[in-house]
Amino acid sequence: MIGVGFGLIAAICWGTGPVVTRISLQDLRVTSVATLNMLTGVVVLMTLALAFHWGEIMALPSYTYLILLAYGLLNNTMGVFFFTNGIRLVGPSRASIMTATQPLFAVTLAVIFLGEEFTILKVVGTLAIVLGTMIIVTDKSS
């Protein structure tokens, strides 16, 4: 049950973020907003990680650092940059809705690279998300 609570807290944070980002974009460029966003996260999380998990971090094999670097570049750096640009161009609502297509990519890549099973429920769920996203994004009234 704690995991569900953490998920809800994350959803609240991620739901608030695009609105704050849009407000920030009134005075700053995309690169500045994205950089300050990332820098804040790095400082807070790095401090916590090093304070509580120093030995664990230092004991990681070198290839793990490469994997984490790729994760940071794709998920965080590029994701935040393009998401911030999306908020600037189409607003927080539409940009956020577009991120709902993330399961399509996560499921596909997990099946290809991690050998996860591609079940009928995953297909139906992923298609529902993509179709719902397309319906909202192509709506001319908003």
Side-chain angles (χ1 to χ4, degrees):
M1 205 59 181
I2 292 174
V4 173
F6 283 167
L8 181 59
I9 292 168
I12 292 167
C13 292
W14 286 328
T16 305
V19 175
V20 173
T21 298
R22 183 61 180 248
I23 293 167
S24 301
L25 286 168
Q26 293 173 0
D27 299 318
L28 297 167
R29 294 180 184 269
V30 167
T31 51
S32 298
V33 172
T35 301
L36 290 169
N37 175 336
M38 296 296 300
L39 188 58
T40 302
V42 166
V43 169
V44 171
L45 291 176
M46 186 66 78
T47 301
L48 291 171
L50 293 176
F52 293 104
H53 305 288
W54 174 262
E56 196 176 306
I57 292 169
M58 294 300 115
L60 291 172
S62 56
Y63 72 88
T64 302
Y65 291 107
L66 292 174
I67 293 169
L68 292 172
L69 178 65
Y71 172 69
L73 286 172
L74 289 172
N75 184 58
N76 297 324
T77 307
M78 292 176 70
V80 167
F81 177 76
F82 287 111
F83 182 55
T84 304
N85 258 310
I87 291 170
R88 179 181 62 86
L89 295 170
V90 298
S93 298
R94 281 196 171 175
S96 295
I97 291 166
M98 285 307 300
T99 65
T101 62
Q102 177 266 341
L104 170 68
F105 304 102
V107 168
T108 303
L109 293 172
V111 168
I112 293 169
F113 293 109
L114 302 176
E116 286 193 9
E117 188 177 346
F118 199 57
T119 66
I120 190 69
L121 286 177
K122 287 180 185 174
V123 171
V124 171
T126 301
L127 287 174
I129 290 167
V130 172
L131 290 173
T133 301
M134 289 173 53
I135 289 168
I136 293 170
V137 170
T138 58
D139 178 21
K140 301 294 182 205
S141 66
S142 57

